[in-house]
Each structure stands twice: as structure tokens, then as C-alpha cells.
Amino acid sequence: MDRLIKPDEQTVDVLFNRGLKCSQTFKLTNLMHTMPVAISLTTSDPQIFSFPQPFYILPPLSTSSFLVQLNKPFDQPPLSTAPATILVRSSTLPTGKAHQDDLRRLFSKPGPHIFKDATLPIYFVGPQAAEFLLTSSFETMYSVFSKAISCCDESQLTCLLRVAAVNGNSHFISALIEAGADVNDRDPEGESVMSLAVKSGKADAVRVLIQSGYVMDDKIDRFLHVAAAMNKADIMENLCLGYVDIDLDSVNSLGQTALHLAAIHGQVEALQFLVSVGSNVDSTDRFGWTPLHYAAQEGHFEAVEFLLNHSVYSKYAVTKEGQTAFALAVERGNLDLYDSLCLGDLLQRAARIDDVHAIKSCLARGADVNGKDQNGWTPLHRAAFKGHIESVKVLVSSQGARVDVVDGSGYTPLLRAVEAGNVEVAVYLLSRGAKTGLKSLDGRLPCDIECLKNHPSLVIPLDQVKERD
């Protein structure tokens, strides 16, 4: 026989309550048919746990309850990385009688007469212990957590699920749902467990709730809005995959879509995702504001650039108060947005009509002298193509326009001037260092000798027009 005592349970589960000196009983059975057994109880953490007395006598084949207790009340369960344990040792006691001092002497002497019958882990259980695990550094102790929730009812499990959702811990969320927590629970204000998980920013938590059967209410759930404001494209992707009929352009109480929220906060990754799945870039809210209006007002340069590249008319749309996105940028003093929102258009127009004063005015207000339109044309391309020599000179000599920038077809301003037969402009650009060896996308040289020969009014010697590296 390798033991004299058998425990009725393999663990001792202590129901934890804050501020109370918690305790728990456990049962041991004497396996001996005819002989009493002496029992020694010790713990691996005597500073935390103790027994009313350390030694007991158990009659033959009898079962008795024993008490383990905390030495004092605790506000939080005194956990460690490994559970504390109770060591149960035993020895035969033929007389059936002995005092505590006698038993102490008996167990103080090692030898074959001492049996090590059991080592029982002590677990803290109940909602307070589980909540502590959810919000502490012990949150990776999943086996301990599963033990802690084993005695919780559905209401307690659901309350814990809300805590787990706030923390975004997908493993604990799964354990709680498996144990019986209500995945579709909402608080008195209507906030759901899913809402809390989305706000946590953890995509894994959101995915677990979707897979566990969360039912979305289109009337009140605005998860895309929350995720967009946080720039959590991974969460939005999970939502779109989990709810294929999700309304990408659903609106909040202000009539704003998720795209509006992403623009307000300048969340470019969220904007990119929402546009890629079909959100309406030109949607307006209750005040007539598009996402571009908000991005311009808040000064989010990258968001403005993205929305301009994907918008149909937002650049020209006006709010109910009659303001364009450009006007809002001006109102807030967001100078770096002026060119994208308006000045670039004005500068292109000025170059097209040879309005030198307007060119200087636009550039003084912040327009980009090398800014491109939808075809990749800079103001210099446009002035060169139109043959406006004064505008070309102002752009190049006074404002530092790049003479060799290429448009969407690979054409430089020099090639556009030659293409339109504007020799005076071509000669000026050559004098300012324009390269003649740059090819367009179709392989054409912008200014080879044969091309220039077609313009008899060229007044400079041909040997000055050599291809440059």
C-alpha cells in the first residue's frame, strides 16, 4: 500500500470574498479497515493559509471534513504564478490515541512510516476571483481562470464577459461563453458586449464574439463608426466578413457615416478600407458636410489627399452654411491644405490664361508650384503648352518650377511646348536647363534635332541644341 488516506476531491476550491477571512472544507477518507490513521496537514504557503490544528486522527474507513482558511482577510485573492497546495501525510496509529505533541514528534521523524498521500492545489473561485484574473497580470493563467468561473451562474458569467470584452481578451471571452455567458447581453443603456470588444481595439475579441453568435442590431449598433475613429481596419474587416449585409453607410444621430468618423480623426487606413469595400466618399451628414469637409477643417493632410483622389464632387460641395472644404481649411488656418483644395486649381487656371498676377498671388498664398492636376500636368506644363512665355518665365525664374517634371504620359513641359509649336517657350526652357534626352512613355524624344528642324523660326544655332544627359 502506497497511501493510507484518499482525498474526496483533487482540488480545494476557496470561494473568495473581499474583506472576509475565507475558508473551505475538504474531505479525507481512511483506507485502513482496522487501524486508525494519524494525519498531518501543511501548506506550501503558511503565511497565507492555515488549519485550526495541524494533526488529526481518523478512525478506520471513516471520512471526515477538514478546514483550510486564510490567515487574514484580503481585498484581492493572494494569487501566485502556481497555486498553493495542501500536503496530506499520514501514519498508522495502532493505539488510536495521541496528543498533538505526540503527533508532532511522529511526523518530525522521516522514514517509511510516513506516507505522502496527496498534494491538493488550492484554487480561488467565484466572480470576484475571476474578475481579478481578468484585470491583473495573471490574465494568462487560463486554467486558473477556468477553475475560478466553475461555480459562477449565468448572470455572473455574463457580467464577467463584459469585463473580458472591455479588456479584449479573446481566450477569456471564449471560456466565459463556453461556460454559459450570454453573448447577446446588453446593459440598461443598450450597450452590447460586442460594443465593448470593438472599443477594446482587439480584432481577435471581435472575431470570437462573431463566431459565438452575436446578433447585430442595425438600429443601434454602430461598430464601424467606432472602429473607423480608432483606425482599426482589422476590426472593420472582421465585421464586414462576419456580417456580409452590414450597412457601410449607416449613420449615427448626426447623420455621419463611418467614413465621416475616419475623416474627423484623420484615420487614413480606415478611410482606405472603407472606400475599398464601397463606402460613399461623397455622403453628407445632417449639416451637409462630406468627409472631406471634416478632414479639411481638422487639418488632416493625408486624409484630404486620399479623399480628393476618390471623390466625385466633395471638393466643390458646400455645407448648409455655404462653406466648401477649402473655406473650412482657410477658417482654421490649415495652410498646407490650400493647394490641394483650391489654390492648385486656381494656379492651373492662371497658367492656362496667362494671368501672371494670379500666378504670383496663388503661390504667395501657399499653392504648390509643381502641383499636378489629374493628368499629371503642372502649371508649367499648361503655360508651356499654351505658349504663355511670361507665365513660363515667372514660374521658372521667380518661383522655381521644375523644368523636367513629367506628366502622366511622361511628357516634360519642353515636349508640350514643342508639341504645340511654341518655339519661344521651348528655347527659353532649353536656356533654363531643360533636358532634351528625356523620353516620354511612348518613347518619343522631347526635343531632338529632327523635331526642331520642323520649326524654321528657331533662332538659336542647332549645334547649341545637343542632347544632354
Side-chain angles (χ1 to χ4, degrees):
M1 177 176 287
D2 58 357
R3 63 176 178 172
L4 307 177
I5 297 294
K6 181 186 74 172
D8 283 17
E9 300 291 340
Q10 297 304 307
T11 64
V12 177
D13 301 335
V14 178
L15 179 62
F16 180 79
N17 285 287
R18 296 184 186 93
L20 298 180
K21 191 175 180 180
C22 308
S23 62
Q24 181 60 40
T25 60
F26 58 99
K27 293 182 178 181
L28 301 174
T29 298
N30 183 354
L31 299 177
M32 301 297 291
H33 288 72
T34 60
M35 190 176 298
V37 171
I39 297 174
S40 167
L41 299 178
T42 57
T43 74
S44 60
D45 196 344
Q47 293 184 338
I48 302 296
F49 299 99
S50 63
F51 306 93
Q53 64 182 50
F55 306 107
Y56 301 86
I57 298 174
L58 195 57
L61 293 179
S62 65
T63 300
S64 294
S65 295
F66 300 87
L67 184 75
V68 61
Q69 60 190 5
L70 292 176
N71 291 330
K72 63 178 182 179
F74 287 88
D75 290 332
Q76 303 292 353
L79 293 170
S80 58
T81 53
T85 58
I86 298 173
L87 176 61
V88 181
R89 294 185 299 159
S90 65
S91 180
T92 57
L93 191 65
T95 62
K97 296 179 181 181
H99 296 292
Q100 288 289 308
D101 289 341
D102 298 327
L103 296 175
R104 182 175 291 106
R105 285 191 293 270
L106 173 65
F107 285 102
S108 65
K109 298 176 181 179
H113 64 289
I114 302 297
F115 291 79
K116 294 181 179 179
D117 294 280
T119 301
L120 305 176
I122 304 174
Y123 290 99
F124 290 102
V125 299
Q128 293 183 15
E131 183 176 357
F132 176 74
L133 287 166
L134 285 173
T135 57
S136 71
S137 59
F138 293 95
E139 60 179 10
T140 56
M141 300 171 61
Y142 304 122
S143 60
V144 177
F145 180 76
S146 297
K147 194 69 176 176
I149 64 175
S150 60
C151 65
C152 295
D153 59 28
E154 180 180 342
S155 175
Q156 293 169 332
L157 290 168
T158 301
C159 289
L160 291 169
L161 178 61
R162 299 185 70 84
V163 177
V166 168
N167 295 331
N169 192 307
S170 58
H171 296 285
F172 285 168
I173 289 173
S174 295
L176 287 162
I177 294 173
E178 186 176 346
D182 182 4
V183 70
N184 287 299
D185 175 69
R186 293 179 184 269
D187 67 12
E189 285 72 42
E191 185 165 40
S192 65
V193 173
M194 178 67 85
S195 175
L196 299 174
V198 172
K199 289 178 181 178
S200 78
K202 303 294 181 61
D204 287 346
V206 172
R207 183 166 56 252
V208 167
L209 290 173
I210 293 173
Q211 294 171 347
S212 299
Y214 176 81
V215 178
M216 199 164 97
D217 187 339
D218 294 333
K219 295 180 180 179
I220 57 177
D221 288 337
R222 296 290 177 266
F223 303 141
L224 286 177
H225 289 69
V226 176
M230 298 168 60
N231 207 31
K232 300 298 295 184
D234 53 351
I235 289 180
M236 291 190 289
E237 181 178 6
N238 276 297
L239 291 168
C240 290
L241 291 173
Y243 305 102
V244 293
D245 57 348
I246 193 171
D247 184 1
L248 298 172
D249 295 314
S250 66
V251 297
N252 60 15
S253 59
L254 299 177
Q256 298 165 338
T257 66
L259 207 61
H260 280 95
L261 271 293
I264 289 170
H265 295 278
Q267 308 292 25
V268 177
E269 187 177 348
L271 290 172
Q272 292 171 339
F273 175 82
L274 288 167
V275 170
S276 72
V277 295
S279 294
N280 181 10
V281 181
D282 296 312
S283 60
T284 58
D285 63 11
R286 284 171 45 192
F287 311 104
W289 289 47
T290 65
L292 181 62
H293 283 98
Y294 285 106
Q297 182 189 54
E298 299 301 326
H300 299 311
F301 181 81
E302 290 186 35
V304 166
E305 290 289 307
F306 176 81
L307 291 167
L308 284 172
N309 289 333
H310 293 83
S311 170
V312 176
Y313 73 91
S314 291
K315 186 174 182 178
Y316 312 102
V318 295
T319 67
K320 289 185 177 180
E321 295 181 350
Q323 291 181 298
T324 62
F326 174 73
L328 291 168
V330 171
E331 187 178 275
R332 287 292 186 91
N334 298 323
L335 301 178
D336 57 340
L337 300 181
Y338 289 4
D339 181 61
S340 299
L341 291 169
C342 182
L343 289 178
D345 289 348
L346 295 178
L347 180 58
Q348 291 277 0
R349 179 178 181 275
R352 187 175 71 250
I353 65 176
D354 201 25
D355 189 339
V356 173
H357 175 74
I359 289 174
K360 293 180 179 179
S361 175
C362 287
L363 293 171
R365 292 162 62 192
D368 182 1
V369 70
N370 295 307
K372 296 183 177 182
D373 66 9
Q374 66 273 20
N375 297 313
W377 280 38
T378 66
L380 185 58
H381 278 94
R382 197 164 299 282
F385 182 75
K386 289 291 186 178
H388 299 321
I389 186 64
E390 293 304 319
S391 293
V392 169
K393 288 180 178 179
V394 168
L395 288 167
V396 176
S397 62
S398 300
Q399 305 299 330
R402 293 167 51 198
V403 295
D404 288 323
V405 66
V406 296
D407 62 17
S409 301
Y411 283 55
T412 64
L414 176 60
L415 179 53
R416 290 301 180 191
V418 172
E419 180 184 38
N422 299 320
V423 176
E424 185 178 7
V425 171
V427 171
Y428 174 78
L429 291 173
L430 286 168
S431 72
R432 301 298 296 186
K435 295 178 181 179
T436 61
L438 297 177
K439 293 184 178 181
S440 65
L441 295 182
D442 58 10
R444 180 180 175 188
L445 284 171
C447 189
D448 58 22
I449 293 177
E450 294 301 321
C451 178
L452 291 177
K453 285 179 180 179
N454 294 328
H455 300 282
S457 58
L458 185 62
V459 294
I460 63 173
L462 291 181
D463 59 3
Q464 293 183 22
V465 188
K466 297 180 180 180
E467 290 189 354
R468 306 174 188 179
D469 294 331

